[in-house]
């Protein structure tokens, strides 16, 4: 989780610099060119400024949400954020390992799935031995939890 907050903070810092230093300089140069109604550089810089402002708002909101995550609230014996789960996918007939991460960190090819994904939502709160049916874009999948390592186990 520290990695994701670090990445978000780096992006915030970069965008704030662009918003307070680079874009004002671009806008000033474009204004110096004259007629703003047909000034492509000016309109481009203003559009970028709007985008950067919106993205900063999103990033700061996400940082606030992540700061509210308390490790004490994550269960010790059930699937939750940071858990590594070995499941038997009865539909595919194979064992698969997943780790539940934030949406920013998710990468299905590496087995990193978001707690907000269909599979992640279905697994959260379950225990070893539980079977879940997950509706994915590719259809229904039946999965049995074979092994669970929580974020607390991994830290120990």
């Amino acid at each position: 989780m520290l990695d994701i907050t670090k990445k978000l903070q780096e992006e915030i810092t970069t965008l704030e610099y662009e918003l307070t230093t680079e874009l004002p300089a671009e806008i000033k140069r474009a204004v110096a060119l004259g007629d703003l109604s047909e000034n492509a550089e000016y309109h481009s810089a203003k559009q970028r400024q709007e985008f950067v402002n919106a993205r900063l708002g999103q990033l700061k909101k996400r940082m606030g949400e992540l700061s509210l995550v308390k490790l004490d609230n994550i269960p010790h014996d059930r699937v939750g954020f940071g858990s590594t789960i070995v499941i038997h996918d009865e539909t595919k007939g194979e064992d698969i390992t997943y780790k539940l991460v934030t949406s920013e960190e998710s990468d299905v090819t590496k087995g990193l799935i978001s707690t907000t994904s269909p599979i992640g939502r279905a697994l959260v709160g379950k225990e070893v031995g539980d079977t879940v049916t997950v509706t994915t874009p590719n259809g229904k999948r039946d999965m049995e939890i074979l092994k669970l390592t929580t974020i607390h186990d991994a830290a120990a």
Side-chain angles (χ1 to χ4, degrees), residues 89-153:
D89 187 327
E90 295 170 12
T91 310
K92 291 184 174 183
E94 63 184 4
D95 293 351
I96 303 170
T97 301
Y98 290 122
K99 181 171 182 177
L100 291 182
V101 296
T102 64
S103 55
E104 292 88 359
E105 296 172 293
S106 67
D107 183 345
V108 177
T109 61
K110 295 179 180 175
L112 303 173
I113 60 171
S114 167
T115 54
T116 58
S117 69
I119 294 172
R121 283 194 313 266
L123 292 173
V124 168
K126 302 295 189 262
E127 299 175 287
V128 172
D130 287 352
T131 301
V132 296
T133 300
V134 182
T135 303
T136 67
N138 296 331
K140 290 189 185 256
R141 292 170 60 185
D142 294 318
M143 303 175 175
E144 180 185 356
I145 300 172
L146 302 177
K147 184 178 177 190
L148 167 65
T149 305
T150 69
I151 197 168
H152 306 290
D153 299 331

Side-chain angles (χ1 to χ4, degrees), residues 2-41:
L2 291 175
D3 287 346
I4 191 63
T5 55
K6 183 179 176 192
K7 284 180 187 175
L8 290 175
Q9 188 56 55
E10 287 172 359
E11 187 175 352
I12 287 171
T13 302
T14 301
L15 291 175
E16 284 177 338
Y17 178 79
E18 181 179 358
L19 188 65
T20 59
T21 307
E22 294 172 358
L23 284 170
E26 276 184 50
I27 292 170
K28 187 175 180 181
R29 276 193 304 274
V31 168
L33 295 174
D35 185 11
L36 298 181
S37 64
E38 296 181 15
N39 189 326
E41 290 85 2

